Amino acid sequence: MKFSKKRAAAVATGAALTFIVGGVAFGYWTTTGSGSGSASTGNTSPISISSTAVTGLYPGDTPKAVSGTFTNPNVGPVFVQQVSVAVDPAWSVGTTNPCSASDFTVTQPTATARQIVTGDTWSGATIQLKNLATNQDNCKGVTVPLVFTSN
């Protein structure tokens, strides 16, 4: 087989064109980019705190336990540090020597410090009707309004 210069030039030209075309087919441009987006946080709704009924209070009796449950309307758990219990300070019954919040002693529950979902319970508070030196008849048969708060 003889090699001709024309044939060698044709093969070289074909190889060069293949390389150039192939290089173009796999070439690309580089660039930089930027953009922006956003994310948002939700809000929480207040939880409800309730208690079981406390009955049978009388002057000087031992403290009665106060406990209850949480109702959480939020989609996820919320963190509660502490539940506080008080007799409504604006409440009173009777005109002469009225029964009021000052007739009761309330002890606070220990710190809750946990995540709360609906149905979780709290406990540890107590209420006691004080044994005073004055007539406490205005405290007979009353319903004492308890107020619960949390932080």
Side-chain angles (χ1 to χ4, degrees), residues 5 27 31 61-62 67 77 79 84-86 97 105 111 129 131-132 150:
K5 285 186 177 188
T31 186
D61 189 18
T62 58
S67 61
F79 189 81
S84 298
V85 181
N97 195 28
T105 300
L129 179 56
N131 190 14
L132 303 174
S150 68

Side-chain angles (χ1 to χ4, degrees), residues 44-137:
T44 58
S45 297
I47 61 172
S48 296
I49 306 169
S50 61
S51 73
T52 56
V54 178
T55 59
L57 296 173
Y58 61 87
D61 189 18
T62 58
K64 304 283 185 185
V66 180
S67 61
T69 58
F70 297 102
T71 301
N72 178 7
N74 299 287
V75 297
V78 294
F79 189 81
V80 172
Q81 181 65 35
Q82 176 68 44
V83 172
S84 298
V85 181
V87 175
D88 184 346
W91 172 80
S92 69
V93 174
T95 53
T96 305
N97 195 28
C99 184
S100 67
S102 64
D103 288 294
F104 298 87
T105 300
V106 176
T107 58
Q108 299 303 312
T110 55
T112 303
R114 61 190 167 105
Q115 288 189 336
I116 301 299
V117 296
T118 293
D120 282 350
T121 60
W122 61 272
S123 62
T126 63
I127 186 168
Q128 180 181 30
L129 179 56
K130 296 176 183 175
N131 190 14
L132 303 174
T134 58
N135 183 327
Q136 292 177 276
D137 283 350

Side-chain angles (χ1 to χ4, degrees), residues 5-24:
K5 285 186 177 188
K6 277 186 170 182
R7 185 176 171 132
V11 169
T13 302
L17 284 173
T18 301
F19 177 74
I20 291 170
V21 171
V24 171

